[in-house]
Amino acid sequence: MPKLSIITINYNNLEGLKKTFESVFMQTYQDFEYIVIDGGSTDGSKEYIAENADKINYWVSEKDHGIYNAMNKGIKIANSEFVIFLNSGDTFFDETIVNRLLNVDNTYDIVYGNHNLLKIDNSEYVKQFPDLITISYLLIDTVPHLGTRIRKSLFDDNFYDESLNISSDWTWYFDALINKVSFYHCNFVTVNFRLDGVSSINHNLGMEERVIHLQRKHPEYVLILSKYLEKEAEVISLKKQINKIYSSRWIRLLKKFNLTKI
């Protein structure tokens, strides 16, 4: 049995899939099981996967019921001690990442690193995650999902909630923390993560789904999160007011010197 399964999900993202495959195939540690779940792509992804079938342990291209349904498919196929998700378009930071993650003490259930975030304007910055994951931190932020080593047995009868569209990995982590699952932070960058996915661009829906999950399973935390969201909305409103004042002052200054037509 391999120690690790890497799971890639894809749907009509051929160019992103090519980058992900290259990243996986160039890892210095190659003794892993590679699983690719494609949602019935029509952009050439299926054919590209078939071309690389000799490097893939299992792949399928068929219609699914969303991101988490695809991930659950991969988990059910995986035959290893740990799993790592790396979705199409995202890449390991360098060729040593799998080896470094597997060298972390096996007693830890969830091993995560930092992310190099690639913005839509092609700028990038590193997001540093905390060493200690607490309830207060997780209520307002998250643990990285991609490039994180997760003990596969944690998914036994506890798959991602497919009724949620973008926050099921967060709800799964929250439940894991409540259940005293062990987390360990590796202070190095594991993944290049593009900020153009569904969860990255739909913050409000993500928070709504968090509230729904807490109402179902952890109602004692709902009020705390609701208060935080109220404060967050106030801060956003204040920033807009500040920007409006700042912009209007610039406009007045430009008009004063007759520069508005330049």
Side-chain angles (χ1 to χ4, degrees), residues 135-136 138-140 170 174 203-204 206-216 218-235:
I135 293 293
S136 58
L138 200 53
L139 277 172
I140 61 174
W170 178 89
F174 194 89
H203 174 74
N204 290 340
M207 284 299 181
E208 288 174 11
E209 290 187 348
R210 292 187 186 195
V211 172
I212 290 171
H213 179 73
L214 294 179
Q215 288 173 334
R216 290 174 181 168
H218 311 288
E220 64 273 24
Y221 294 108
V222 173
L223 181 60
I224 297 172
L225 181 56
S226 297
K227 287 184 176 179
Y228 167 79
L229 293 176
E230 289 175 4
K231 294 296 182 183
E232 183 183 51
E234 289 178 14
V235 170

Side-chain angles (χ1 to χ4, degrees), residues 126-140:
V126 172
K127 178 168 183 178
Q128 181 92 15
F129 291 91
D131 290 334
L132 180 64
I133 300 298
T134 63
I135 293 293
S136 58
Y137 169 80
L138 200 53
L139 277 172
I140 61 174

Side-chain angles (χ1 to χ4, degrees), residues 39-54:
S41 294
T42 57
D43 67 340
S45 292
K46 178 180 178 180
E47 292 74 16
Y48 180 70
I49 296 169
E51 290 172 12
N52 289 277
D54 60 321

Side-chain angles (χ1 to χ4, degrees), residues 156-173:
D156 292 348
D157 301 319
N158 184 33
F159 294 104
Y160 291 122
D161 184 350
E162 295 179 16
S163 70
L164 302 177
N165 294 313
I166 62 176
S167 295
S168 194
D169 52 314
W170 178 89
T171 63
W172 190 90
Y173 277 141

Side-chain angles (χ1 to χ4, degrees), residues 22-23 38 61 73 83 136 145 149 156 164 167 193 211:
E22 180 182 5
S23 172
D38 180 72
S61 181
K73 283 184 182 181
V83 297
S136 58
H145 189 216
R149 193 193 83 182
D156 292 348
L164 302 177
S167 295
F193 176 56
V211 172

